[in-house]
Amino acid sequence: MKIRRSTGEIIFDTANFIMLAIFMAICAYPMIYVFNSSISDPQQMLMNRSFMLWPQGFSLEGYKQVLTNEKIFTGYLNTLFYVIVGTLANLLMTSIAAYGLSRPDLYGKGLFMKLIIFTMLFGGGMIPSFLLVQNLGLVDTRLALIIPGLISTFYLIIMKTNFESIPKEMVESAKLDGANDFQILFRIFIPVSKAVLAVITLYYAVDHWNDYMGPLLYLRSQDLYPIQIVLRDILLTNSMESMGPGADTGFAFSENLKYATIIVSTLPIMLVYPFIQKYFVQGSLLGAVKQ
Amino acid sequence: MKTKQEPVTLHLDPGARSPSKLEFIRKEIVRNKYVYLMIVMVMAYYGIFHYGPMYGLLMAFQQNYSLSHGIWGGEWIGFEHFRTFFDSYYFGRLLKNTLILSFYSIILGFPAPILLAILLNEVRSSKFKRVVQTVSYLPHFISIVVVVGILKTFSSLDNGLFNIVRSFFSLEPVMFFTEVDMFRPMYILSNIWQGAGWSSIIFLAALAGIDSQLYEAAKIDGAGRWKQFLHVTLPGIIPTIIVLFILRMGGIMNADMQKVLLMQTAPTYEVSDIIATFVYRVGVQQANFSYAAAVGLFNGIINLIFLIITNMISRKANQTSLW
């Protein structure tokens, strides 16, 4: 389709292009800066203060330090555990909830939904939740980062809306073949909802990967700490003093190490996105908002 | 019945007025037993981890909660904690800081993704559009700890980016993290940097959902791009904007507490201390559970009130509302 553009339109399109390009540059620049710094030679970085559009010299010293640091390694493994086990548990419970609540003829459905939606508007808050987790004996266990957040109501609604669009006939014919509801959920609903499941998996995984408040509130032992707590010690408190006896207090990390840690801890979760991008099709999220 | 403690029973009992109704419900449960098993699991989760803490809020009306005597062993003191909080030196400062931070976040942060989505929607080259989208989504994946870490590294005195930029304009270097005037701009701008792209997804979805026939009709009527925007695009996303705005207002008292906690330093408390960080400090760090729960409850109620009012106004003004 070839359309003749008026002068006004040409001006608008050009201005729009420039604005978006600038916005994109602003989004990308800090990430470029961090990446270039992580592979730069620390000596040279200190000497010339620069905008880091290119690396200053070249050194992988930061990465070498990151990869040999035991705390970072343990944190990394812990985070992997929380992300994998946590996300699987989230998906299991969320799809069970979405299936149950998407059954059209369920008696009491309205009440269940109201009770669930209400939790989006009001909650007990940090202190009662913290004490509840403590009373349940979950403090300082891995479960504390998995069980309290099993279902995110927002993602539940997205999945429920999606399940509601699956034709009734599929359920009916499966029932005639003698399948029970769990079988219908796992053999029919989940396989046909790949797109929305991919999106929700990404959401949950990012939430677990980046969770900071959970471990801050619930974990006490160093060996359970996820990478985010280790990152806080490296990037913000700039010391290992909270990282166990024997560590040098007041030991400052090289800038190089900081930048390398940022890359190592952020890149994996960023790289997941392009694989899921194709599922971010129009409408997969919209249904939920219109509810 | 094994579901005795579940919310299910809460509903079933009042419904049990006549034996026939009870019989009907019994049959329903037998017929849908697996679905009800699922519902019981789900409601048990919500009962424990969402309604449990709400029940725990009773401690806000007690002297101080202790793990050993539990909720019912505490000494009841009514609204004493609320009174103490309202009279305290911190109350005015905390309320002001919380509201100002939220107010600027909404004024500047809420329109940003909408504007971005609208601009992206007008882009003709789908390749350029995709590149802008992908790049603008990436910051969303960076954790808050890392974002604050980047801010801190950037504001380092000798070779942090912010001060390099300042020296470029021949300005004195500044300790950004301890500067009272820098806390709010850093918090809000970094939020927009991190979130605008990602939040625009939902508006882009709404824009993509607009019936293309409406555009065709507008073109036939001689509407240019601007007129099409005013009469087709804008009305098409207004409902989405309103729904998200109502939800945003319901969180007016919730600045991103984790981020504030990571960003605040003692010299900036006068602007950076908000209700949520106060609750954390008093409750978790000083174990003053009841008082902190009371302050948290106050926060939650203000949120709820804002949500209800916004919803009411919106329903009156343009028939769009959450309920």
Side-chain angles (χ1 to χ4, degrees):
Chain A
M1 196 166 61
K2 233 351 185 205
I3 312 164
R4 270 203 113 92
R5 294 187 295 169
S6 67
T7 327
E9 279 188 74
I10 293 171
I11 294 173
F12 169 77
D13 283 335
T14 315
N16 191 14
F17 178 85
I18 293 171
M19 278 191 288
L20 287 173
I22 292 174
F23 176 74
M24 188 167 71
I26 293 173
C27 281
Y29 180 62
M31 296 186 277
I32 294 170
Y33 184 99
V34 169
F35 180 74
N36 285 343
S37 302
S38 75
I39 55 170
S40 289
D41 182 5
Q43 238 61 48
Q44 279 195 43
M45 263 176 75
L46 270 179
M47 307 249 288
N48 346 332
R49 311 175 67 193
S50 104
F51 291 111
M52 295 303 284
L53 288 170
W54 311 107
Q56 301 278 307
F58 181 77
S59 155
L60 289 178
E61 197 47 43
Y63 287 95
K64 215 181 273 168
Q65 286 178 47
V66 168
L67 295 177
T68 51
N69 186 311
E70 213 175 295
K71 296 289 174 193
I72 295 176
F73 185 71
T74 315
Y76 220 90
L77 283 187
N78 283 332
T79 290
L80 282 179
F81 176 86
Y82 299 129
V83 169
I84 294 169
V85 178
T87 305
L88 283 176
N90 288 143
L91 289 173
L92 181 71
M93 273 307 276
T94 310
S95 49
I96 285 177
Y99 179 85
L101 294 164
S102 66
R103 297 306 81 224
D105 55 347
L106 184 77
Y107 182 81
K109 185 170 122 176
L111 177 81
F112 302 137
M113 275 317 286
K114 279 197 189 88
L115 285 170
I116 289 173
I117 300 281
F118 182 70
T119 64
M120 288 178 99
L121 311 179
F122 185 77
M126 187 196 316
I127 302 302
S129 308
F130 168 73
L131 291 171
L132 174 76
V133 171
Q134 195 156 53
N135 279 329
L136 293 172
L138 293 176
V139 164
D140 211 21
T141 67
R142 290 181 192 275
L143 289 179
L145 298 192
I146 292 170
I147 293 181
L150 265 181
I151 301 178
S152 152
T153 306
F154 189 63
Y155 307 156
L156 163 62
I157 294 172
I158 294 176
M159 211 191 271
K160 171 180 164 280
T161 312
N162 188 267
F163 280 0
E164 276 164 352
S165 67
I166 294 174
K168 267 212 311 275
E169 291 73 27
M170 286 176 87
V171 180
E172 277 158 16
S173 67
K175 284 221 164 128
L176 284 179
D177 292 342
N180 70 39
D181 289 290
F182 281 99
Q183 288 165 330
I184 296 173
L185 168 61
F186 291 113
R187 303 231 177 108
I188 300 176
F189 275 50
I190 288 184
V192 303
S193 307
K194 274 202 206 86
V196 80
L197 272 167
V199 172
I200 288 176
T201 306
L202 177 74
Y203 279 158
Y204 274 130
V206 172
D207 288 351
H208 280 293
W209 188 281
N210 291 340
D211 185 17
Y212 169 69
M213 214 56 218
L216 182 69
L217 284 174
Y218 302 134
L219 297 185
R220 303 283 173 270
S221 321
Q222 319 265 334
D223 52 336
L224 296 181
Y225 279 171
I227 191 83
Q228 297 304 331
I229 298 281
V230 182
L231 278 170
R232 181 203 56 188
D233 292 336
I234 293 176
L235 297 175
L236 295 167
T237 40
N238 197 23
S239 76
M240 283 276 193
E241 55 194 330
S242 56
M243 305 196 67
D248 276 334
T249 47
F251 166 70
F253 294 93
S254 73
E255 297 293 297
N256 221 225
L257 171 78
K258 287 189 190 175
Y259 291 116
T261 325
I262 293 177
I263 298 290
V264 168
S265 66
T266 309
L267 211 54
I269 196 76
M270 268 188 187
L271 288 180
V272 176
Y273 172 69
F275 294 101
I276 303 217
Q277 188 178 28
K278 64 170 184 240
Y279 296 113
F280 271 89
V281 280
Q282 53 179 67
S284 68
L285 303 169
L286 190 64
V289 182
K290 283 212 171 137
Q291 280 263 310
Chain B
M1 214 160 48
K2 85 171 195 287
T3 57
K4 254 290 181 293
Q5 302 93 331
E6 309 308 335
V8 183
T9 351
L10 284 178
H11 176 68
L12 293 184
D13 281 344
R17 263 159 281 147
S18 61
S20 66
K21 182 137 194 191
L22 200 66
E23 182 62 17
F24 166 75
I25 292 167
R26 202 185 64 80
K27 275 200 181 130
E28 275 295 306
I29 292 179
V30 172
R31 187 172 68 87
N32 271 330
K33 56 181 181 296
Y34 289 112
V35 178
Y36 276 103
L37 181 63
M38 293 175 180
I39 297 283
V40 165
M41 288 160 67
V42 173
M43 294 319 285
Y45 164 75
Y46 275 96
I48 296 169
F49 289 99
H50 290 270
Y51 286 90
M54 285 188 224
Y55 164 75
L57 278 173
L58 283 175
M59 75 180 68
F61 305 95
Q62 294 180 331
Q63 191 60 43
N64 196 14
Y65 176 86
S66 96
L67 283 174
S68 57
H69 59 60
I71 284 264
W72 292 112
E75 186 195 333
W76 297 92
I77 56 164
F79 287 87
E80 197 55 45
H81 286 312
F82 294 87
R83 235 167 275 143
T84 317
F85 179 56
F86 295 149
D87 290 341
S88 81
Y89 160 73
Y90 293 106
F91 175 66
R93 186 174 93 173
L94 291 169
L95 190 65
K96 195 176 111 203
N97 286 341
T98 308
L99 286 175
I100 289 179
L101 205 58
S102 264
F103 179 74
Y104 283 127
S105 296
I106 291 176
I107 293 276
L108 299 170
F110 189 76
I114 302 173
L115 187 68
L116 178 63
I118 289 171
L119 292 183
L120 276 170
N121 194 50
E122 297 293 335
V123 170
R124 281 149 190 255
S125 146
S126 66
K127 208 170 182 184
F128 178 65
K129 186 174 168 181
R130 215 170 37 241
V131 173
V132 177
Q133 278 180 278
T134 307
V135 171
S136 68
Y137 295 167
L138 288 182
H140 168 81
F141 294 92
I142 302 175
S143 75
I144 287 168
V145 178
V146 169
V147 169
V148 178
I150 292 177
L151 282 175
K152 190 148 190 178
T153 331
F154 278 8
S155 49
S156 135
L157 262 189
D158 14 287
N159 62 344
L161 176 66
F162 294 158
N163 280 319
I164 294 179
V165 174
R166 279 184 75 92
S167 71
F168 194 74
F169 294 103
S170 330
L171 292 165
E172 291 289 302
V174 162
M175 303 262 284
F176 283 84
F177 267 67
T178 52
E179 198 70 35
V180 171
D181 296 336
M182 291 298 170
F183 172 76
R184 283 175 191 144
M186 274 207 296
Y187 173 88
I188 289 159
L189 292 176
S190 61
N191 265 2
I192 294 176
W193 172 75
Q194 193 181 16
W198 191 255
S199 317
S200 72
I201 291 180
I202 211 144
F203 298 106
L204 279 168
L207 287 168
I210 296 174
D211 192 345
S212 58
Q213 287 179 352
L214 290 175
Y215 285 108
E216 296 302 326
K219 263 182 225 157
I220 291 167
D221 289 345
R225 293 263 293 278
W226 173 246
K227 283 272 161 70
Q228 287 176 37
F229 167 73
L230 270 189
H231 299 291
V232 181
T233 311
L234 210 52
I237 53 166
I238 288 255
T240 310
I241 295 178
I242 290 173
V243 168
L244 290 176
F245 185 73
I246 297 171
L247 286 173
R248 184 68 190 79
M249 288 305 281
I252 189 144
M253 301 290 274
N254 306 346
D256 188 338
M257 180 258 183
Q258 307 181 47
K259 191 166 172 184
V260 177
L261 205 60
L262 287 164
M263 279 182 71
Q264 70 180 183
T265 54
T268 62
Y269 268 6
E270 59 176 288
V271 290
S272 68
D273 205 16
I274 57 169
I275 295 182
T277 51
F278 181 77
V279 169
Y280 176 76
R281 221 170 37 243
V282 172
V284 179
Q285 293 184 330
Q286 298 164 11
N288 210 338
F289 300 125
S290 285
Y291 183 54
V295 178
L297 176 57
F298 166 75
N299 203 42
I301 287 174
I302 301 284
N303 269 337
L304 195 58
I305 291 173
F306 267 101
L307 181 80
I308 291 169
I309 291 175
T310 324
N311 193 54
M312 215 158 64
I313 294 172
S314 166
R315 192 171 41 192
K316 284 244 169 69
N318 46 28
Q319 278 84 47
T320 308
S321 65
L322 287 183
W323 62 81

